[in-house]
Amino acid sequence: MAAEDAVPVEVVAAPARPDAPTDSLAWLAVPAMVLLAMAPAFLVESFRLFQLTSVVIYAVAILGLNIVTGYNGQISLGHGAFYAVGAYTTAILMASFGLPYWATLPVSAAVCGALGWGIGFPALRLGGLYLALTTFALAVAVPQVLKHDALETWTGGVQGVFIAKPDAPFGLPLSADQWMYLFTVAIAAAIFVLARNLLRSRIGRAMMAIRDQPTAAEAMGMDLAALKTRTFALSATITGVAGALSAVAVEFVSPDSFSVNLSITLFVGMIVGGVASIFGAVFGGLFVVFVPNLAEDIAGAAPGVLYGAILILFVFVLPTGFAGLLRRVAASARRTTATNDATPGR
Amino acid sequence: MEGLPHQIVAGIATGGIYASVALALVMIYQATHHVNFAQGEMATFSTYIALTLIQAGLPYWVAFVVTVAVSFVIGVVVERVLLRPMHDAPVLAHVGIFIGLLLVISNLSGWIFDYTVKAFPTPFDTGAPMLGGLVSGHELGSTAVTLAVLTLVYLFFRHTSLGLAMRAAAYNPVSARLVGIRVGWMLALGWGLAAAIGAVAGIMVAPVVFLEPNMMLGILLYAFAGALLGGIDNPAGAVAGGFAVGIIENIGGAYLVGTELKLTLALAIIIAVLLFKPSGLFGRVVVSRV
C-alpha cells in the first residue's frame, strides 16, 4: 500500500535551517567550543570526569543510531550489539594481541561496519519493521554469543576481559582519566564534524529523501536497498567506535553489560535527545548518564518505570526531543527580536 | 526421554506457546501494521497476577480465568489510552511507545513482585511421564490448552459477527467504518484479545521456564521468528510457524548448537527467512503500488 508510505514522517522532519552565518563571529565560536569541551578535564574531579567521558561516548553511540533511525528512517532496536562488538574487539586486541588502544579503533570500526552490513543486507531489502525485528533479536542474542564456550579463550566467557587504562602519551602532565576524557572528546568531535558534513551532502539528502518519500526517491533512480544498507553499516561503525572507546574508559568488558537494555537505553537517548538532530545526540548522552541516578532518587525502587514513562511522555508531548525544544525556543526568540526590530518607535 | 521423538513432542509443547504469542503479535500487526514489542512483558505481568491470585487461595482455574479477563481489560486500556491518540503518528512514535511500555511494565513487574525467580504451579499431573515416556503431564496439558485457545480464536474470527467485524476493520478500515463498524473499538478489542492470549501463554510456560520479570524475552524472540516464518500477515501461518520454530529450537538445541545458543538460533531463523523467503511460508508477497 503506497498510500501509507507517503505519509510524511513528522517526528523526524529535518529542520529548515538558514545557512550558517559566515561572519567572523562564527569563527570565534569554534575555538570557544573547543575550550569549553576541554575545560572539564582540568576543573572536575575524576569521578565526574569519568561520567562526562561516558556522556561523550554515549553521544557518539546515539549519533550512530540517529543517522540510520533519525535521518534514514530505518528503526534499529539493536545498536547495543554493535556497541558490544566494538568494545569486545578493542578489549580482545588489547588483552590478547597487545595492540595499543588507539590502533584498535579502526579495527573495531571495520568489524562493526562489516557486521552492520551483514545484518542490514537481509533486513533492509524489505521495508517496514523487519530491521527493528532483526536488530531486536540481535540485541537479545549477542550476550549469549559473547558468553559461549567456543569464544572463551578471547572473550573470557562470563568473566569478561580486563584491560588497563592508558596513560597520557608524550610525557604530558595529565592523569589517565584526564587523558582519556580529552582523547574521547577529540575522537567524538571528529566523528560529529564528519557526520554533520555527510548529512549535509548529497548522500545525506538522499538518506532523508528515502526516509520521507521512498517511492519518489526510487523513481529518481536511487538504489534504496543499497543506500539503506550502507547507511546502516556506517551507523554501526560509529556506534562500534563508541563501544571501543567505552571498553578503554571502563577498563573492562563483560557480556552482562551489553544486554538488550543497552540497546533500549540508546534508543531512549535518541528519542529524548532529539530524533534527526546531530546535537540531540549530546543531550541524549547527558540523559542516559545522569537521569538514571536522578530517577533512583525520585522513584526509589523503580527507576526503570520512570525511565519508560519519560520516554512515552516525550513521544506524546515533545516528539522532537530536547533538540527540538531548543530549536523552537530559539526560533520564537528570533521571531520576537525580528518583530521588535521591525516595529518602529518601540 | 532424550531421543528424537521426545525432542519433537517437547518442541510441539513449547511451539504451542510460541504459536500463541506469534498469533497475538500478528493480530495486532494485521490491524495496525505495528509490532508490539511489549507483548512479552505484558504476558509476564499477567502471569504475576495469576501467581498472586493462586497464592491468595483461589483455585487454579478460577485464577486462570480471572487473569485472562484482567489481561483483556489491560490490553484494551493500553490501546485506548496510549495508542488511540497516536493513531496517525509515524512508525517511530509507535515503536517509542512500545519500548516505553516494555520498560514500564517489566520494571513494574520487578518492583511489585520483586526480581527473584519464582516457581509456578501447574494443574496437570507432574508424576510419571505419559505415552510411553514421551511426554510429561504438563507438556501434554499445556499443549491441549494452547490448542484449545487457538481453536477458540479461530472459531471466534470465523463464525461470530464480532469476529467478522474485527476482520473487516483490520482488512479495510475505511469500508468497515462505512458499514457501521466502530473501527477504533475493534482495534481495542484486538489488543485485549492479544493480551489475553499472551496471558495464557505466560501461565502455561511459567512452570517450565520459571517466573521472573524477563521471562518472556526469549519467548517473544521465538514468536517473532515464528511469525516471520509463517508469514507476518497470516494468523494461521504464524501459528504454524510458531509450532515449527518450537520443533526447530528443540532439535537444534539438542543436536546442533546446545542450549547456550538457543536465542542465537532464533536470530538465525529470522535472518534465514528474510534472506530466502521474506514473505514467510504462507504470507502474501507485498507489492507496493505507486
Side-chain angles (χ1 to χ4, degrees), chain B residues 132-245:
Chain B
L134 260 186
V135 58
S136 75
H138 180 75
E139 280 170 350
L140 201 64
S142 81
T143 311
V145 169
T146 47
L147 282 177
V149 168
L150 296 175
T151 314
L152 275 178
V153 170
Y154 174 79
L155 293 176
F156 170 75
F157 277 112
R158 276 288 148 194
H159 296 291
T160 68
S161 51
L162 187 58
L164 179 64
M166 286 176 68
R167 281 194 289 145
Y171 185 69
N172 192 336
V174 178
S175 302
R177 189 167 285 120
L178 287 179
V179 296
I181 294 168
R182 299 181 67 178
V183 173
W185 272 105
M186 293 305 120
L187 290 183
L189 283 185
W191 263 79
L193 219 58
I197 296 172
V200 176
I203 293 172
M204 285 301 124
V205 83
V208 184
V209 297
F210 298 108
L211 183 55
E212 45 104 11
N214 289 325
M215 175 181 81
M216 294 297 275
L217 192 60
I219 292 161
L220 185 69
L221 216 56
Y222 283 111
F224 283 158
L228 286 176
L229 183 63
I232 194 155
D233 49 9
N234 181 344
V239 169
F243 278 108
V245 166

Side-chain angles (χ1 to χ4, degrees), chain A residues 6-73:
Chain A
V7 175
V9 186
E10 281 165 52
V11 163
V12 289
R17 270 203 208 88
D19 281 327
T22 43
D23 49 284
S24 54
L25 268 177
W27 287 108
L28 274 177
V30 174
M33 273 172 76
V34 171
L35 277 179
L36 195 70
M38 281 173 68
F42 308 99
L43 294 177
V44 300
E45 31 135 3
S46 81
F47 174 65
R48 287 275 167 221
L49 198 57
F50 172 73
Q51 280 186 320
L52 287 177
T53 311
S54 308
V55 169
V56 177
I57 291 171
Y58 275 121
V60 173
I62 292 169
L63 176 71
L65 175 60
N66 218 337
I67 286 176
V68 79
T69 301
Y71 286 94
N72 199 206

Side-chain angles (χ1 to χ4, degrees), chain A residues 2 9 11-12 69 75 77 119 122-123 125-126 129-130 132-134 136-138 140-141 144-145 148-149 215 260 264 267-268 275 301-302 304-305 307-309 311-312 315-316, chain B residues 33-35 37 82 85-86 90-93 95-97 99-104 107-108 111 217 220-221 224 228 232 259-264 267 270-271 274-275 278 289-290:
Chain A
V9 186
V11 163
V12 289
T69 301
I75 298 168
L77 293 173
I119 295 287
R125 289 188 304 156
L126 317 152
L129 281 162
Y130 289 103
L133 283 177
T134 316
F136 188 76
L138 179 72
V140 176
Q144 241 191 2
V145 177
H148 194 257
D149 299 340
T215 315
V260 67
I264 291 177
F267 184 81
V268 176
V275 175
V305 176
Y307 214 61
L311 174 60
I312 295 177
V315 172
F316 270 85
Chain B
H33 279 260
H34 294 300
V35 172
F37 288 92
L82 288 181
M86 285 276 125
V91 186
L92 186 57
V95 176
I97 289 178
I99 295 296
L101 205 56
L102 183 153
L103 281 170
V104 169
N107 285 289
L108 214 54
W111 184 34
L217 192 60
L220 185 69
L221 216 56
F224 283 158
L228 286 176
I232 194 155
T259 46
E260 293 125 52
L261 282 182
K262 275 190 168 185
L263 289 174
T264 317
L267 175 66
I270 291 175
I271 290 182
L274 293 183
L275 270 179
R289 266 184 307 182
V290 182

Side-chain angles (χ1 to χ4, degrees), chain B residues 53-111:
Chain B
L53 292 174
I54 292 169
Q55 282 172 345
L58 255 65
Y60 183 91
W61 292 109
V62 175
F64 182 92
V65 171
V66 172
T67 304
V68 170
V70 169
S71 307
F72 181 87
V73 173
I74 293 177
V76 171
V77 169
V78 165
E79 201 279 337
R80 289 278 99 179
V81 175
L82 288 181
L83 291 146
R84 179 88 195 102
M86 285 276 125
H87 187 61
D88 298 320
V91 186
L92 186 57
H94 281 263
V95 176
I97 289 178
F98 292 140
I99 295 296
L101 205 56
L102 183 153
L103 281 170
V104 169
I105 296 177
S106 88
N107 285 289
L108 214 54
S109 302
W111 184 34

